[in-house]
Amino acid sequence: MDRLEWHVIVPPKKEGEILKIKVGSKTLCLLLSQGQIYATAARCPHAGADLSQGWCEEQKLVCPYHRHRFDFKSGKGDVGQNNFVQVYPTKQEQGSWYVGIKKNWWSTLF
C-alpha cells in the first residue's frame, strides 16, 4: 500500500530559487537546483525561522537567522549543528511536478 499522497506543485523557475507553499497541513520550501526540484520543511528546527527567506549554497539550504545549513537532499544539518530538516520526495510525471506527503495514520484506516 502506498503510504504517500502525491500533490501537484508549481516548481520554482530560477536556479537557486526558494518558494514557500502549503500542501495539506504542511508548509514546505521548494528549491530548484541543477534541474531537480527538492522539498523541505519550511521551518528551521534550530530557532523556528522561515527557511523560505534563506538561500541556497553548495547544495545546502541556509537559514536566514543563524546561518544553519541543511543538505536539501537528506535534510542533515552541517557538522556540529546536531539537527536536521524534514525532506519530502518529489517526482516529475507527464510534465507536472509532485511532492509526496505521508498519509496520516487515521486516513490509512479508511
Side-chain angles (χ1 to χ4, degrees):
M1 173 173 14
D2 189 9
R3 298 216 20 131
L4 290 178
E5 197 167 8
W6 291 94
H7 301 267
V8 175
I9 56 173
V10 177
K13 302 281 189 236
K14 271 182 18 189
E15 181 73 16
E17 183 179 8
I18 304 169
L19 296 178
K20 184 175 172 181
I21 65 166
K22 185 90 167 158
V23 178
S25 64
K26 307 279 185 197
T27 303
L28 307 177
C29 286
L30 298 179
L31 308 99
L32 174 60
S33 178
Q34 299 175 346
Q36 176 64 41
I37 302 299
Y38 298 94
T40 72
R43 187 176 168 144
C44 180
H46 172 240
D50 180 356
L51 291 173
S52 71
Q53 299 301 307
W55 61 92
C56 298
E57 66 183 27
E58 301 172 357
Q59 301 291 301
K60 307 272 176 116
L61 175 58
V62 183
C63 176
Y65 282 15
H66 299 106
R67 308 300 189 255
H68 276 220
R69 294 169 16 124
F70 302 93
D71 182 303
F72 48 76
K73 294 177 183 178
S74 69
K76 187 175 179 183
D78 276 352
V79 174
Q81 287 179 201
N82 300 316
N83 60 6
F84 68 94
V85 67
Q86 181 70 45
V87 295
Y88 298 88
T90 61
K91 66 181 180 179
Q92 186 179 29
E93 285 184 354
Q94 300 176 355
S96 294
W97 280 94
Y98 297 84
V99 64
I101 305 291
K102 265 189 191 176
K103 293 178 184 175
N104 67 36
W105 180 83
W106 187 253
S107 70
T108 60
L109 294 177
F110 300 100

